Amino acid sequence: MTTHTIQPPRRAGRRTRAESPEVRGQLLAAARSLFAQHGYAAVSTRAVAEAAGANPAMIHYYFRNKEGLYEAMLEDTFKPLIERLGGLLTASSIGPNPIRRFLDLYMRTLGANPWMPPLILREVVAENGRLREWFIRQFASRGGGLLTSLIQHEQTAGHMRADLDPTLTALSLVSLAVFPFVAMPVASRVFGMRVKDDYLDRLIVHTERIFMEGTRQESTQ
């Protein structure tokens, strides 16, 4: 004989523990780990809920479905990054070293979120990446345009060579910033790369120097 547990009715205006903000954060954290390890297609919503210690119904409650969970996971990381990049561009006319500030922002974001590079490689960059178009529309095209504008600003200000294609220069800058994190599984063993202590500080300074030495406007004196 099957028995059913009847839950007491909720009082209006009160939030149950299952619907607390902590549960949403736990679901996102579990999704980051599982999606990065196994890929989007191989991970079920039930697996995410179990890893988070939550009821699978909470995924529907907060995110509608697995795709909504995935999108929310990316938005939580990339939306603040894009907003801060826009703020950096606005402040670049009066602020010093905008390239250094971009690298500091971008590389520290990657360092703090090691799940991002393998996930983006698997689901966006790889052939038939199922969320490529969504990612380009929501983040990549906006971020790329902002970074290209920053490069153009630096060229107009005379800080960078005017003969460089600003779009290709922006691509080169992103490549320098991202590749160490994409290559982390190999770079950590071959080059001793890590994202703790002072290593990340040194990597940011080194990346800025390499980039600026190749793009700096030479003095006419």
Side-chain angles (χ1 to χ4, degrees):
M1 180 177 179
T2 302
T3 60
H4 299 278
T5 302
I6 300 176
Q7 299 294 335
R10 296 200 329 248
R11 294 182 181 178
R14 294 188 62 183
R15 178 177 300 186
T16 67
R17 180 181 180 277
E19 297 173 5
S20 68
E22 290 78 10
V23 172
R24 183 181 187 277
Q26 290 165 0
L27 288 168
L28 289 171
R32 293 184 192 107
S33 176
L34 292 175
F35 285 146
Q37 290 180 41
H38 307 293
Y40 179 89
V43 177
S44 67
T45 54
R46 182 170 295 277
V48 174
E50 289 179 356
N55 188 315
M58 289 297 97
I59 292 179
H60 176 74
Y61 179 83
Y62 284 114
F63 310 107
R64 301 185 313 280
N65 50 33
K66 185 168 77 167
E67 185 170 350
L69 171 63
Y70 189 91
E71 292 176 0
M73 181 185 68
L74 294 179
E75 285 179 357
D76 275 12
T77 301
F78 281 98
K79 187 175 180 180
L81 180 64
I82 297 299
E83 290 175 350
R84 292 180 64 187
L85 180 56
L88 172 62
L89 178 62
T90 301
S92 63
S93 60
I94 58 175
N97 303 321
I99 299 299
R100 170 62 179 277
R101 286 154 56 211
F102 164 76
L103 289 172
D104 193 80
L105 166 63
Y106 196 33
M107 297 176 77
R108 291 192 190 283
T109 298
L110 294 175
N113 298 276
W115 57 271
M116 285 174 55
L119 192 68
I120 299 304
L121 276 178
R122 188 195 301 266
E123 306 298 339
V124 177
V125 178
E127 187 176 1
N128 299 322
R130 71 178 312 278
L131 291 179
R132 177 181 298 173
E133 294 305 318
W134 179 87
F135 182 83
I136 291 173
R137 183 175 64 255
Q138 293 294 325
F139 302 111
S141 60
R142 295 164 57 198
L146 289 170
L147 186 55
T148 299
S149 296
L150 191 151
I151 297 295
Q152 291 172 325
H153 173 274
E154 289 299 279
Q155 289 177 312
T156 300
H159 300 153
M160 294 176 61
R161 289 167 45 186
D163 62 332
L164 295 174
D165 183 310
T167 302
L168 295 180
T169 304
L171 177 61
S172 295
L173 180 58
V174 170
S175 300
L176 285 170
V178 172
F179 183 76
F181 300 93
V182 171
M184 178 69 76
V186 175
S188 60
R189 298 178 60 183
V190 177
F191 300 109
M193 180 182 172
R194 58 192 186 279
V195 287
K196 59 182 181 179
D197 301 328
D198 66 338
Y199 194 97
L200 186 56
D201 293 335
R202 290 165 48 209
L203 181 60
I204 292 171
V205 171
H206 170 80
T207 303
E208 179 199 18
R209 182 176 182 184
I210 291 292
F211 179 78
M212 292 307 298
E213 286 296 326
T215 61
R216 182 176 289 115
Q217 178 65 53
E218 296 183 359
S219 175
T220 56
Q221 295 182 350

